[in-house]
Amino acid sequence: MTRPHSPQEPMDAAEGGASARPQSLMMSFFGIHVLGRDIALSSACVIDAFARVRVGEDAVRSTLTRMVGRGLLERHRRGRRMYFSLTGRAAAVLSDGQERIWRDGAVNREWDGTWTLVGFSLPESRRRERHDLRSRLVWAGFGPVQSGLWVAPRRVDVASLAAELGLEDHIRAFHGEAAPPTEAGSLLHAAFDVDAIATGYRSFVDRWGGSVPPGGAADDMALQLLLHTDWLELVRDAPYLPAEHVPEDWPAARAEELFRELARQYEPGASRIADEMLDRIDLAEGAASEGAGGDEPGVG
């Protein structure tokens, strides 16, 4: 079964470490520079930043507009300039991503054998909601074992996921352990393409472990953006698999070590560049009314 995209829903292609796409890059960019701060960034500075990773102005503007339409970004007009901030929904997705990256890690070394099972049934007339549910399940670390039944090798708060999508009446969730004749290892391989996940981690190490970083990035700010986007796209589709049910040479730990090493290496230079070039407004100081006008309605 094809695993759908995460809530980030990447779109138009752009060059990057793992063929990163504008919306994935944009989510990472706002996660790095906006998440946890009550600020907004001007469209002009976002365009300048994305030029550093070879994403053109038209792609940036269309991505900003599309993300506003999807409820991920919010506009704030200041005179003739347009600024963008994270919505609560986007902040929640990014915060969850931060936990996946920095708290959970790439390998579950303390699994207690507990699975979360989710069953659902939505008619064809609710195809969009079904797609959104599958995307959220992938992001939460679930894999499909048969039609309408998904499993995750850990405890997952399904109630909040269902409430977010308004599907509480269509989802059944359980916690439990595998029982004979089902074995945990075989269930894991039925739900997840373990070989493909391993290949993803090895490819990450190949891309970022060499002397020349991928993507043609010009500086630490660009490298930081490509690195974070590449890693987040990888862990998005790589569930938190129990260490005892993956091969001994499982490459996730090495890939995670490399990511964290490079993230620390790029951060000081990226922060200096961001302080110099990013045009921010402090939303806590009070927003001026968003009047009409400006040269380009929508993205400023």
Side-chain angles (χ1 to χ4, degrees):
M1 181 174 181
T2 301
R3 285 163 66 81
H5 290 307
S6 76
Q8 295 186 43
E9 201 97 41
M11 299 181 295
D12 313 292
E15 290 193 45
S19 298
R21 305 164 192 270
Q23 186 164 316
S24 294
L25 287 164
M26 194 70 72
M27 287 291 281
S28 292
F29 184 77
F30 274 77
I32 294 168
H33 300 290
V34 175
L35 182 65
R37 287 163 279 185
D38 197 10
I39 63 172
L41 302 178
S42 71
S43 58
C45 78
V46 176
I47 290 168
D48 289 345
F50 273 59
R52 296 168 180 262
V53 293
R54 300 190 293 183
V55 176
E57 180 176 340
D58 289 345
V60 173
R61 291 185 184 278
S62 65
T63 301
L64 288 170
T65 299
R66 206 173 306 177
M67 290 178 69
V68 169
R70 294 192 63 226
L72 298 171
L73 296 178
E74 183 178 355
R75 295 186 182 99
H76 306 269
R77 185 177 290 281
R78 297 292 186 271
R80 296 170 64 85
R81 293 192 175 190
M82 189 69 75
Y83 292 76
F84 294 83
S85 66
L86 291 167
T87 63
R89 175 190 169 199
V93 170
L94 287 169
S95 295
D96 186 48
Q98 291 294 311
E99 288 194 5
R100 291 277 296 273
I101 289 174
W102 299 109
R103 188 196 69 181
D104 292 347
V107 181
N108 184 353
R109 297 180 176 85
E110 300 178 353
W111 189 49
D112 64 359
T114 298
W115 294 82
T116 302
L117 290 79
V118 167
F120 64 90
S121 178
L122 290 168
E124 186 66 18
S125 60
R126 305 184 70 172
R127 183 185 305 175
R128 179 63 192 181
E129 290 167 286
R130 189 170 60 197
H131 172 82
D132 289 344
L133 173 57
R134 288 172 175 168
S135 296
R136 288 295 289 117
L137 289 172
V138 169
W139 180 248
F142 285 84
V145 289
Q146 61 189 58
S147 179
L149 179 62
W150 292 56
V151 299
R154 62 170 176 168
R155 288 186 175 272
V156 178
D157 179 10
V158 180
S160 61
L161 183 155
E164 175 188 332
L165 298 172
L167 295 175
E168 298 97 321
D169 294 336
H170 299 274
I171 292 176
R172 301 292 180 265
F174 308 87
H175 295 302
E177 299 180 358
T182 301
E183 295 182 353
S186 62
L187 184 58
L188 195 77
H189 283 265
F192 305 103
D193 189 340
V194 176
D195 291 340
I197 293 168
T199 297
Y201 282 122
R202 292 190 184 99
S203 296
F204 179 89
V205 173
D206 290 342
R207 283 192 299 274
W208 290 95
S211 58
V212 179
D219 52 43
D220 283 350
M221 184 179 182
L223 287 167
Q224 180 189 59
L225 177 57
L226 292 178
L227 175 72
H228 280 249
T229 304
D230 197 359
W231 184 250
L232 190 57
E233 287 196 330
L234 177 59
V235 299
R236 177 196 70 197
D237 290 329
Y240 194 43
L241 299 182
E244 61 262 45
H245 293 295
V246 295
E248 290 185 7
D249 62 347
W250 189 243
R254 170 62 188 127
E256 181 178 53
E257 179 184 4
L258 177 60
F259 164 74
R260 294 188 175 188
E261 175 186 332
L262 291 176
R264 289 191 296 267
Q265 177 181 324
Y266 298 148
E267 198 281 329
S271 293
R272 285 193 296 271
I273 295 169
D275 288 341
E276 293 171 0
M277 71 165 292
L278 294 185
D279 176 15
R280 310 175 177 100
I281 56 171
D282 187 345
L283 299 176
E285 292 180 355
S289 62
E290 292 187 358
D295 295 330
E296 295 181 71
V299 296

